[in-house]
Amino acid sequence: MINKQLLEPESIVVIGGSNNVHKPGGAVVRNLLNGGYEGTLRIVNPKEDEVQGIKAFHDPKELPPTDLAILVVAARFCPDYVELLASEKQVRAFIIISAGFSEETQEGAQLEQRILDTCEQYGCALIGPNCIGLLTRWHHSVFTKPIPHLNPRGVDFISGSGATAVFILESAVSKGLQFNSVWSIGNGKQIGIESVLEYMDEHFDAENDSHVKLLYIENIADPDKLLYHATSLIKKGCRIAAIKAGSSTAGSRAASSHTGAIASSDSAVEALFRKAGIVRCFSREELTTVGCIFTLPRFMGNNFAIVTHAGGPGVMLTDALAKGGMNVPPLNGAMAEELKSKLLPGSSVSNPIDILATGTAEHLGIAIDYCEKMDDIDAIMVIFGTPGLVKIFEVYDVLHKKILECKKPIFPILPSLSTAGPEVQEFLKRGHVNFCDEVTLATALTQVMKTPAPAEQNVVVNGVDVPQIRKIIDGITDNGYITPSLVHDLLTAAGIPTVPEFMSADKDEVIAFAERCGYPVVVKVVGPVHKSDVGGVTLNIRSKEVLVAEFERMMQIPGATAVMVQKMIKGRELFIGAKYEPRFGHVVLCGLGGIFVEVLKDVSSGLAPLSYAEAYSMIHSLRAYKILKGTRGQKGINERKYAEIIVRLSTLLRFATEIKEMDINPLLADDTDVIAVDARILVEK
């Protein structure tokens, strides 16, 4: 519940405001005053008559009606203050800085619930508790530093952790990244990250609002809401990047102990971000670097020119871009030769364009102008520092002018933060950003370039027999792994091709099927879940005698109920799997099959239901994609059919939510077909 009293309060009271600016109560008052808050500021402090030049109230009962209250007092006092202020002083927005709530104890959780109940009763907005506050162009209701430069076209930043928000701000300010607002939601009892995105989406003004959102997330309480509003904002022209902390088991435990939240599966988060079009980041530096990239003009293509006066950084940047799948194309021909003639002797124009350490501001400008005119260059990266021997204000002045003039985006990489500190700061004050490390920039750019556009939310049902799927699922009475015959029926209903197979505990029937379909065949034990672990799979059986021996051996395996025989086919082994994640739904995984999925763990994930575009994106993001595409004279797989099976499987799961786990491993694929060979499905009604 985000309201006008929270965003544009005409009056603010700080409960616990003080003269000691080294404590949160005093620091909040200082930041409000220094931030130029134009409304009425009130302070409640029982021991002080005046706080930082403002007359203090000794008791909140003495207050006149007020819009927003900021509480910086012990947790045990907060519920009573909220009740009094909401019921008697018409306060309709609260920012509770105080800690000691659900993030610490059960008693704290009860205090937090009392506060929420009061806010819901009186229609109040609630930020926190356990947060650093809210920073907007209207009011600086935070107790921390730094306070970044605020402007309407700056970044909106929403964080589930106050301390982390401060560290991210530190990283951003050093790069020149500017902000429109900073939201620290703390425990997010009422207003979480999803709620802030919802408000920004529903009230989005393309002319006046920020088009960049950065998120630090420790818990996704409502994945559907996050997906819907992130997707909507991106389709309206916004760009969103996020860190989701707690991707490992230990990290999930740490996140839970910090916020009282339940951390979610990393594969589910990856799938959600992919579906929404959110750029995923893994560190503060990466997040703020992506934020800086978002402030530059958008560009199509991935061909970069590098202009540098230092060879080493140019080489490292070239390597990092190439590793991320981007290009630093060689420059040659008449235009390149013309450029070389205008630079100092010894300069290189092969790309990177090295204007030498003695290159001047004029040489830099010339090189940029030529890159701007080259058709096969999409963006320009400029590396320019100093050994501390000369002032380079003139160089950065040229860079400033070229950024304004050129249609192609220019990425400034100014590494000399110590020896050229004043020059860099002057450059940043002109509204620019600085990528001080070239490899960090390339890594962040890789994340941006590989993030797909938001997916369409339509369910693809063409070729999927939904009534038959429901009939099969509804007929299952017991929880657990279903029989191979039911697995086969479900895959057939979903339109997923399967290899010819037959299952029986009768030896003669198994032999008869093998002779009908023709040798060679594959034999698998039915019963044990992990067939390979118990010696329950034999390939390439070419005779009746070997088939009989293998049948008799497998029926002696503990837990065996039957034997399955399949026609032996060849192809590249692929894998598709799925797992139901609470709150998220089904996460679909794909990758190389067989043992590779367990050994290499090269899988990509998507959130069901999936579109064809999402399925192709999943396939292309695999590290092993070059193998699937075909290498060293081998034909690639039929990518279209692989994507089709991924989509059909996701549709099956959409209409059979009782399926909690399943995998098809392997599918065998060649350049003409993709066929499911083995599958298992876990159903919980």
Side-chain angles (χ1 to χ4, degrees), residues 214-444:
L214 302 183
L215 315 176
Y216 173 80
I217 306 171
E218 290 186 341
N219 173 54
I220 301 177
D222 192 336
D224 286 342
K225 182 185 282 190
L226 179 64
L227 173 62
Y228 179 84
H229 293 292
T231 299
S232 177
L233 281 165
I234 292 171
K235 287 184 176 180
K236 290 174 181 176
C238 291
R239 308 180 82 179
I240 303 177
I243 296 173
K244 169 60 178 75
S247 58
S248 66
T249 302
S252 297
R253 185 176 66 250
S256 180
S257 65
H258 177 208
T259 64
I262 301 173
S264 46
S265 161
D266 190 56
S267 59
V269 172
E270 184 74 27
L272 176 66
F273 284 12
R274 177 189 295 276
K275 199 174 194 70
I278 297 172
V279 177
R280 189 172 189 187
C281 302
F282 295 90
S283 70
R284 300 191 305 270
E285 284 298 304
E286 191 172 342
L287 181 68
T288 55
T289 302
V290 169
C292 290
I293 292 170
F294 284 169
T295 66
L296 300 181
R298 295 194 190 213
F299 61 98
M300 303 299 293
N302 63 349
N303 290 332
F304 295 86
I306 300 172
V307 181
T308 179
H309 70 151
V315 173
M316 289 190 288
L317 179 55
T318 301
D319 288 343
L321 290 172
K323 183 179 179 182
M326 289 164 280
N327 303 319
V328 182
L331 305 180
N332 46 49
M335 190 176 292
E337 289 301 317
E338 184 179 326
L339 168 59
K340 188 170 184 178
S341 71
K342 296 187 177 184
L343 299 178
L344 293 175
S347 298
S348 170
V349 297
S350 60
N351 203 13
I353 299 168
D354 188 348
I355 64 174
L356 303 180
T358 49
T360 65
E362 181 184 4
H363 294 127
L364 175 63
I366 291 170
I368 292 174
D369 287 341
Y370 271 83
C371 293
E372 172 75 358
K373 292 185 287 186
M374 293 178 180
D375 293 335
D376 55 348
I377 296 299
D378 302 306
I380 306 163
M381 295 180 166
V382 175
I383 306 173
F384 212 109
T386 173
L389 300 177
V390 295
K391 299 289 186 182
I392 53 173
F393 283 108
E394 185 182 9
V395 172
Y396 293 170
D397 187 55
V398 167
L399 184 56
H400 161 73
K401 292 176 181 176
K402 295 304 177 184
I403 289 174
L404 298 180
E405 293 171 0
C406 292
K407 293 181 180 180
K408 296 175 182 177
I410 297 176
F411 294 79
I413 303 167
L414 316 180
S416 301
L417 302 183
S418 176
T419 54
E423 293 95 327
V424 172
Q425 287 304 311
E426 182 63 29
F427 179 79
L428 298 182
K429 286 178 182 177
R430 292 181 164 191
H432 302 301
V433 294
N434 174 30
F435 306 94
C436 59
D437 182 82
E438 59 279 350
V439 175
T440 302
L441 167 59
T443 302

Side-chain angles (χ1 to χ4, degrees), residues 98-226:
S98 316
F101 292 91
S102 64
E103 80 281 0
E104 291 190 7
T105 64
Q106 183 59 39
E107 292 77 10
Q110 293 171 358
L111 295 175
E112 190 172 286
Q113 187 61 46
R114 281 183 57 197
I115 292 170
L116 178 64
D117 291 343
T118 301
C119 288
E120 296 295 315
Q121 178 184 352
Y122 291 98
C124 304
L126 171 63
I127 295 287
N130 183 32
C131 68
I132 64 169
L134 174 63
L135 177 65
T136 71
R137 289 177 289 115
W138 190 276
H139 61 103
H140 295 185
S141 297
V142 295
F143 70 89
T144 55
K145 288 184 175 182
I147 304 293
H149 182 72
L150 299 175
N151 74 63
R153 307 306 286 182
V155 171
D156 288 318
F157 173 41
I158 314 165
S159 177
S161 164
T164 306
V166 172
F167 301 150
I168 289 172
L169 288 174
E170 293 271 10
S171 171
V173 168
S174 68
K175 296 179 177 68
L177 185 61
Q178 298 181 7
F179 289 78
N180 177 55
S181 67
V182 177
W183 299 68
S184 165
I185 59 127
N187 293 352
K189 190 63 178 177
Q190 182 200 72
I191 298 173
I193 288 175
E194 300 93 334
S195 302
V196 180
L197 280 180
E198 178 182 33
Y199 183 87
M200 291 178 175
D201 178 27
E202 293 179 348
H203 296 81
F204 183 69
D205 179 349
E207 293 297 321
N208 300 304
D209 288 351
S210 169
H211 284 63
V212 178
K213 320 293 178 188
L214 302 183
L215 315 176
Y216 173 80
I217 306 171
E218 290 186 341
N219 173 54
I220 301 177
D222 192 336
D224 286 342
K225 182 185 282 190
L226 179 64

Side-chain angles (χ1 to χ4, degrees), residues 576-587:
I576 303 176
K579 183 179 180 183
Y580 183 83
E581 289 286 347
R583 297 178 292 153
F584 286 80
H586 284 100
V587 180

Side-chain angles (χ1 to χ4, degrees), residues 275 455-458 460 607 609-616 643 646-647 650:
K275 199 174 194 70
E456 296 300 324
Q457 301 300 314
N458 299 327
V460 179
L607 203 59
L610 294 165
S611 66
Y612 279 94
E614 288 179 278
Y616 281 116
I646 293 172
V647 171
S650 79

